[in-house]
Structure formats: C-alpha cells, structure tokens
Amino acid sequence: MAAKGEKHSPLEQFEIIPFTRTEIGGYDISFTNSSLSMIITVAVITLFLTLTVNPRSLVPTRMQLISELMYNFVAQLLSDTVGDNGKKYFPFVFSLFMFVLIGNMVGMVPYQFTFTSHIIVTFALASVVFIGVTILGFVNHGIKFFTFFYIPGVPFYMHPLLIPIEVISYLSRPISLSVRLFANMLAGHTLLKVFAGFVVAMPFFTGALPLVFIVALTGLEILIAFLQAYVFAILTCLYINDAYHLH
Amino acid sequence: MPQLNPEFFVSQLFWLVVTFSFLLVFLWRISLPRISNILEKRERKINEDLTAAKELQSEAENIQDKIEQQLKQARSDASELIKSSSASFQDKAQNEITKLEKELDEKITDSSNKIEKIKNESLNQIQSQINEITKLTLSKVTSFEVTDDEIKNAVQNLERSLN
C-alpha cells in the first residue's frame, strides 16, 4: 500500500476539495465537496418530507409512513427522556437527528463526501447542543444550576473530589459527543477504504475475499450511521432533561 | 489527517450554519406541522369513529331491549286475549246450551201433554165407540135393550178381569 504513495492513502477520501474560492469580509466561504454534501443532505430531507406527505391523506402511503415513523421515532425519544417539557425542542432534535442520519447515509454512497467525519462539523453541532443546554439550565434554575455539580447523599469529604469530576464531565460533553460521531465515521470509512485497497492490491482470485468483507462492512456501516445519529439525538435529549431536572 | 487541517474550518462552519439553519427552519415551519396535523387528524378521526361506534352499539342494545320488551308484551297480550276470549266463548256456549235445553224441555213437556191429551181423548173415543159397537152388535144380534151404563160396567169388569 505504502508503495503506491500518498495518493492512495485511506484518508484521501476526507480531503476537502474546494469548487470555488470565495471570501466574504476576509472569511473563507469556499463552496467545497463538504458544502455540497451538506446541501444534498438537506435537500434529501426536505424533499422527502415534503413530497411523501400528503396533508389530506388519512391513510398513509408507504413513503408517507416512513416520514411518520421518523417523526414518531424522535417524538417518542424526546417524550421518553424529557417528558412534556421536551415538546418545544422537538424541531431542533428532529432536525439534528435527520441531519446527522442522512449526512451519514449520504456518506455511504460511493464517491460521496461524509461531512460528519469532520471533527469541526460534529464539534460545532455538539457545541450548539452544549451551549443551548447550559443556557437552558441557567434560564430554568438561575444560579441554582450550579447545584447540578453537587451530588446529594454522598459523604461530605467526597465532595472536593466529586465536584471537580462532575464539572469536568459536564465540560467534556461537547467533546465526547462530537468525537464519538467523528471517530465512528472516520474509522468506518477508513476501514472500508483499507479493504478496498486490499481488493486492488491482492492477486487475482484472493481479491474477492476482502470484497466480501467490504459488503459485510458496508452493512455494518449503515447500522453505525443510524446508531450514531440515534446516540447523538438521545444524548441531546438527556442533556435537555438535565437542564430541567437537577439531581 | 485532512480533518485537522484548519484551512477549510471557516468555510465548513459557514456552510454548516447555512444548511442546518435552513433545515431547522424548514422542518420547524413546514414539514413537522404538516406531519403532526396528519397524525392529529388521524387520531381525532379514530377517536370519533370509536365513540360513534360505541354510541351506535348502545343504541342497538337499547333497540334490542325494546324489541324484546315488545315481544314479551305481545306474547302476554296474546295469551291473555286467548284466555279471555275462550272464557267468553265457553260462557256463550254454556248459555246457548242451557237455553236450548230449556226450550227442549218445554217442547218435550208440551208434546207429552199433548200426547197425554190425545191419548185420553182417543181412549174416551174408543170407550164410546166400544159402547156404540157393543150396543149395535147386541141390538142386531139379539133383541136385548142394553143401557149405556150397563155396557160401561161390563167393559170395565172385563178390563179389570183382563188386568
């Protein structure tokens, strides 16, 4: 593999290729393959949810049923974790879930760029959640929100140890949330690329073996794509719940 | 690793903000209200249908009860009617029969009286004719002049001895 040079690195697929070089006010807003895949993702979601749903139909078609299932899936998720308070955040959680899910799925299409495999994107999404939830906590509880780090029912001499741990774990939420998604996408796509390299590199017949692995791994990656979107959404719900219910 | 190259961080953040904001606003304002409307409409329709079905069922049960009551009433009415009409028929028949019997009795006594009368009359006639015949016979055969009383006595004696 290494003999073939830098050109065929398994990480090459994560390279950002600018289609235009645009700057506004000194900020770079170049339209890249990452931007394209974000736009494709948003287009797929909005078109699907618009075209499959007929507002007058009492009995859904199959495609409409998919839209309704996704709606109910996220609504159920939110009501299970947050309860009635969660209804206001449904559009945000639903958008987040769909954006990550379809972003991951678009990334599974060959030659498509996976924007969720970029730490800056996932970190930005996780930061929105983190900052939003922190503001929500202060709005709901005021200064009392700091009691979130105080765990009741623990011996007093443990607090000097536990409070820093709680603070650190709270502050690391955006990192864990973003790295989880980013690392899963990175690892999955890299693995696929490595096996694809084996197919090419191995002698004539043996190349079929890694191909079988690629087929199996693609299935696994689709599962992970869904799972990571689900995890992202459910953790967002749990954080929202924390902003309402302190310990 | 291309992910750690900050060259396109700003561009990616810009496009992320643009696309995600658009998605959020679009879903929030257009897609999700449409789906929730459909789901609510369906829920409402199902509930309405269920309540309507329940109402119809109770209505049907009421009607069934009414029908059963009416049937019961009709049956008891009919049996009462049969009872009363048969009783009245029996009474009528009884009356008719007693009337007939009385009439018959009257007719029988009438007839037997008549018969008695006729019998007596005939007996008397026979008596006088016997007397007449006896008198005639005696006057023709013999020359005895016999009175009516004598003949009567003789006949009576004869009758007595016959009896």
mmCIF file of all heavy atoms in Angstrom, chain B residues 125-147:
data_model
loop_
_atom_site.group_PDB
_atom_site.id
_atom_site.type_symbol
_atom_site.label_atom_id
_atom_site.label_comp_id
_atom_site.label_asym_id
_atom_site.label_seq_id
_atom_site.Cartn_x
_atom_site.Cartn_y
_atom_site.Cartn_z
ATOM 1 N N GLN B 125 -162.795 -41.864 23.195
ATOM 2 C CA GLN B 125 -163.475 -42.166 21.915
ATOM 3 C C GLN B 125 -163.642 -43.673 21.763
ATOM 4 O O GLN B 125 -164.699 -44.173 21.414
ATOM 5 C CB GLN B 125 -162.651 -41.595 20.754
ATOM 6 C CG GLN B 125 -163.246 -40.313 20.249
ATOM 7 C CD GLN B 125 -162.441 -39.720 19.101
ATOM 8 O OE1 GLN B 125 -161.412 -40.252 18.758
ATOM 9 N NE2 GLN B 125 -162.996 -38.638 18.541
ATOM 10 N N ILE B 126 -162.488 -44.384 22.041
ATOM 11 C CA ILE B 126 -162.526 -45.835 21.903
ATOM 12 C C ILE B 126 -163.620 -46.403 22.811
ATOM 13 O O ILE B 126 -164.427 -47.245 22.397
ATOM 14 C CB ILE B 126 -161.152 -46.432 22.253
ATOM 15 C CG1 ILE B 126 -160.140 -46.086 21.140
ATOM 16 C CG2 ILE B 126 -161.229 -47.952 22.472
ATOM 17 C CD1 ILE B 126 -158.722 -46.347 21.515
ATOM 18 N N GLN B 127 -163.664 -45.850 24.034
ATOM 19 C CA GLN B 127 -164.673 -46.316 25.005
ATOM 20 C C GLN B 127 -166.088 -46.153 24.441
ATOM 21 O O GLN B 127 -166.874 -47.109 24.413
ATOM 22 C CB GLN B 127 -164.522 -45.457 26.276
ATOM 23 C CG GLN B 127 -165.149 -46.057 27.493
ATOM 24 C CD GLN B 127 -164.276 -47.176 28.087
ATOM 25 O OE1 GLN B 127 -163.096 -47.006 28.169
ATOM 26 N NE2 GLN B 127 -164.890 -48.307 28.448
ATOM 27 N N SER B 128 -166.329 -44.924 23.961
ATOM 28 C CA SER B 128 -167.692 -44.667 23.462
ATOM 29 C C SER B 128 -167.994 -45.496 22.228
ATOM 30 O O SER B 128 -169.113 -46.019 22.093
ATOM 31 C CB SER B 128 -167.858 -43.170 23.181
ATOM 32 O OG SER B 128 -167.004 -42.753 22.164
ATOM 33 N N GLN B 129 -166.931 -45.641 21.372
ATOM 34 C CA GLN B 129 -167.135 -46.446 20.154
ATOM 35 C C GLN B 129 -167.381 -47.891 20.530
ATOM 36 O O GLN B 129 -168.263 -48.553 19.966
ATOM 37 C CB GLN B 129 -165.893 -46.328 19.241
ATOM 38 C CG GLN B 129 -166.018 -45.135 18.318
ATOM 39 C CD GLN B 129 -164.743 -44.883 17.507
ATOM 40 O OE1 GLN B 129 -163.813 -45.652 17.613
ATOM 41 N NE2 GLN B 129 -164.808 -43.837 16.708
ATOM 42 N N ILE B 130 -166.608 -48.399 21.556
ATOM 43 C CA ILE B 130 -166.838 -49.766 22.012
ATOM 44 C C ILE B 130 -168.295 -49.898 22.467
ATOM 45 O O ILE B 130 -168.984 -50.856 22.092
ATOM 46 C CB ILE B 130 -165.879 -50.149 23.139
ATOM 47 C CG1 ILE B 130 -164.445 -50.328 22.588
ATOM 48 C CG2 ILE B 130 -166.354 -51.415 23.897
ATOM 49 C CD1 ILE B 130 -163.421 -50.470 23.663
ATOM 50 N N ASN B 131 -168.733 -48.914 23.259
ATOM 51 C CA ASN B 131 -170.104 -48.937 23.738
ATOM 52 C C ASN B 131 -171.074 -48.965 22.575
ATOM 53 O O ASN B 131 -172.014 -49.762 22.553
ATOM 54 C CB ASN B 131 -170.374 -47.687 24.594
ATOM 55 C CG ASN B 131 -169.663 -47.731 25.931
ATOM 56 O OD1 ASN B 131 -169.062 -48.750 26.281
ATOM 57 N ND2 ASN B 131 -169.740 -46.660 26.681
ATOM 58 N N GLU B 132 -170.804 -48.098 21.638
ATOM 59 C CA GLU B 132 -171.665 -47.962 20.460
ATOM 60 C C GLU B 132 -171.733 -49.296 19.699
ATOM 61 O O GLU B 132 -172.819 -49.789 19.408
ATOM 62 C CB GLU B 132 -171.076 -46.863 19.534
ATOM 63 C CG GLU B 132 -172.070 -46.161 18.657
ATOM 64 C CD GLU B 132 -173.080 -45.327 19.430
ATOM 65 O OE1 GLU B 132 -172.825 -44.916 20.614
ATOM 66 O OE2 GLU B 132 -174.161 -45.085 18.880
ATOM 67 N N ILE B 133 -170.460 -49.821 19.450
ATOM 68 C CA ILE B 133 -170.373 -51.072 18.697
ATOM 69 C C ILE B 133 -171.089 -52.173 19.459
ATOM 70 O O ILE B 133 -171.889 -52.932 18.896
ATOM 71 C CB ILE B 133 -168.904 -51.442 18.438
ATOM 72 C CG1 ILE B 133 -168.300 -50.471 17.416
ATOM 73 C CG2 ILE B 133 -168.774 -52.889 17.920
ATOM 74 C CD1 ILE B 133 -166.807 -50.500 17.339
ATOM 75 N N THR B 134 -170.852 -52.264 20.737
ATOM 76 C CA THR B 134 -171.475 -53.293 21.562
ATOM 77 C C THR B 134 -172.981 -53.170 21.483
ATOM 78 O O THR B 134 -173.711 -54.159 21.305
ATOM 79 C CB THR B 134 -171.014 -53.141 23.020
ATOM 80 O OG1 THR B 134 -169.637 -52.893 23.043
ATOM 81 C CG2 THR B 134 -171.370 -54.372 23.834
ATOM 82 N N LYS B 135 -173.432 -51.928 21.665
ATOM 83 C CA LYS B 135 -174.887 -51.672 21.623
ATOM 84 C C LYS B 135 -175.500 -52.089 20.294
ATOM 85 O O LYS B 135 -176.497 -52.833 20.242
ATOM 86 C CB LYS B 135 -175.113 -50.161 21.817
ATOM 87 C CG LYS B 135 -176.383 -49.820 22.491
ATOM 88 C CD LYS B 135 -176.248 -48.348 22.889
ATOM 89 C CE LYS B 135 -177.600 -47.629 22.830
ATOM 90 N NZ LYS B 135 -177.381 -46.176 23.029
ATOM 91 N N LEU B 136 -174.776 -51.678 19.201
ATOM 92 C CA LEU B 136 -175.244 -52.010 17.857
ATOM 93 C C LEU B 136 -175.268 -53.514 17.654
ATOM 94 O O LEU B 136 -176.251 -54.074 17.171
ATOM 95 C CB LEU B 136 -174.328 -51.349 16.807
ATOM 96 C CG LEU B 136 -174.745 -49.950 16.340
ATOM 97 C CD1 LEU B 136 -173.749 -49.417 15.364
ATOM 98 C CD2 LEU B 136 -176.126 -49.981 15.671
ATOM 99 N N THR B 137 -174.125 -54.154 18.023
ATOM 100 C CA THR B 137 -173.999 -55.588 17.845
ATOM 101 C C THR B 137 -175.118 -56.305 18.590
ATOM 102 O O THR B 137 -175.789 -57.218 18.070
ATOM 103 C CB THR B 137 -172.642 -56.066 18.352
ATOM 104 O OG1 THR B 137 -171.657 -55.151 17.967
ATOM 105 C CG2 THR B 137 -172.339 -57.469 17.873
ATOM 106 N N LEU B 138 -175.289 -55.870 19.852
ATOM 107 C CA LEU B 138 -176.307 -56.539 20.674
ATOM 108 C C LEU B 138 -177.676 -56.320 20.062
ATOM 109 O O LEU B 138 -178.473 -57.258 19.975
ATOM 110 C CB LEU B 138 -176.259 -55.969 22.085
ATOM 111 C CG LEU B 138 -175.162 -56.566 22.985
ATOM 112 C CD1 LEU B 138 -175.154 -55.864 24.303
ATOM 113 C CD2 LEU B 138 -175.329 -58.076 23.150
ATOM 114 N N SER B 139 -177.958 -55.092 19.621
ATOM 115 C CA SER B 139 -179.271 -54.831 19.052
ATOM 116 C C SER B 139 -179.495 -55.586 17.765
ATOM 117 O O SER B 139 -180.600 -56.018 17.496
ATOM 118 C CB SER B 139 -179.461 -53.319 18.841
ATOM 119 O OG SER B 139 -178.595 -52.861 17.858
ATOM 120 N N LYS B 140 -178.408 -55.788 17.001
ATOM 121 C CA LYS B 140 -178.544 -56.506 15.747
ATOM 122 C C LYS B 140 -178.690 -57.982 15.993
ATOM 123 O O LYS B 140 -179.523 -58.663 15.402
ATOM 124 C CB LYS B 140 -177.314 -56.253 14.847
ATOM 125 C CG LYS B 140 -177.241 -54.875 14.248
ATOM 126 C CD LYS B 140 -178.082 -54.778 12.985
ATOM 127 C CE LYS B 140 -178.407 -53.362 12.673
ATOM 128 N NZ LYS B 140 -177.777 -52.625 11.701
ATOM 129 N N VAL B 141 -177.737 -58.523 16.891
ATOM 130 C CA VAL B 141 -177.711 -59.960 17.086
ATOM 131 C C VAL B 141 -178.875 -60.396 17.953
ATOM 132 O O VAL B 141 -179.541 -61.361 17.642
ATOM 133 C CB VAL B 141 -176.375 -60.362 17.700
ATOM 134 C CG1 VAL B 141 -176.377 -61.847 18.073
ATOM 135 C CG2 VAL B 141 -175.216 -60.014 16.766
ATOM 136 N N THR B 142 -179.067 -59.700 19.061
ATOM 137 C CA THR B 142 -180.151 -60.055 19.949
ATOM 138 C C THR B 142 -181.155 -58.945 19.977
ATOM 139 O O THR B 142 -181.022 -57.969 19.239
ATOM 140 C CB THR B 142 -179.611 -60.292 21.368
ATOM 141 O OG1 THR B 142 -179.087 -59.076 21.847
ATOM 142 C CG2 THR B 142 -178.629 -61.414 21.418
ATOM 143 N N SER B 143 -182.118 -59.158 20.859
ATOM 144 C CA SER B 143 -183.106 -58.131 20.985
ATOM 145 C C SER B 143 -183.027 -57.453 22.316
ATOM 146 O O SER B 143 -183.947 -56.769 22.769
ATOM 147 C CB SER B 143 -184.511 -58.727 20.782
ATOM 148 O OG SER B 143 -184.694 -59.787 21.675
ATOM 149 N N PHE B 144 -181.854 -57.715 22.969
ATOM 150 C CA PHE B 144 -181.680 -57.043 24.271
ATOM 151 C C PHE B 144 -181.509 -55.571 24.078
ATOM 152 O O PHE B 144 -180.819 -55.104 23.205
ATOM 153 C CB PHE B 144 -180.418 -57.545 24.996
ATOM 154 C CG PHE B 144 -180.567 -58.942 25.508
ATOM 155 C CD1 PHE B 144 -179.558 -59.840 25.347
ATOM 156 C CD2 PHE B 144 -181.763 -59.370 26.181
ATOM 157 C CE1 PHE B 144 -179.663 -61.116 25.826
ATOM 158 C CE2 PHE B 144 -181.846 -60.649 26.641
ATOM 159 C CZ PHE B 144 -180.818 -61.554 26.499
ATOM 160 N N GLU B 145 -182.262 -54.934 24.942
ATOM 161 C CA GLU B 145 -182.079 -53.475 25.007
ATOM 162 C C GLU B 145 -181.158 -53.198 26.174
ATOM 163 O O GLU B 145 -181.497 -53.382 27.325
ATOM 164 C CB GLU B 145 -183.433 -52.803 25.220
ATOM 165 C CG GLU B 145 -183.652 -51.430 24.644
ATOM 166 C CD GLU B 145 -183.286 -51.138 23.232
ATOM 167 O OE1 GLU B 145 -183.732 -51.809 22.251
ATOM 168 O OE2 GLU B 145 -182.484 -50.212 23.104
ATOM 169 N N VAL B 146 -179.934 -52.782 25.866
ATOM 170 C CA VAL B 146 -178.971 -52.561 26.926
ATOM 171 C C VAL B 146 -178.693 -51.068 27.038
ATOM 172 O O VAL B 146 -178.518 -50.367 26.055
ATOM 173 C CB VAL B 146 -177.637 -53.271 26.637
ATOM 174 C CG1 VAL B 146 -176.769 -53.239 27.871
ATOM 175 C CG2 VAL B 146 -177.851 -54.691 26.223
ATOM 176 N N THR B 147 -178.591 -50.617 28.282
ATOM 177 C CA THR B 147 -178.278 -49.228 28.504
ATOM 178 C C THR B 147 -176.775 -49.015 28.441
ATOM 179 O O THR B 147 -176.001 -49.959 28.575
ATOM 180 C CB THR B 147 -178.795 -48.735 29.868
ATOM 181 O OG1 THR B 147 -178.154 -49.486 30.861
ATOM 182 C CG2 THR B 147 -180.323 -48.799 29.970
#
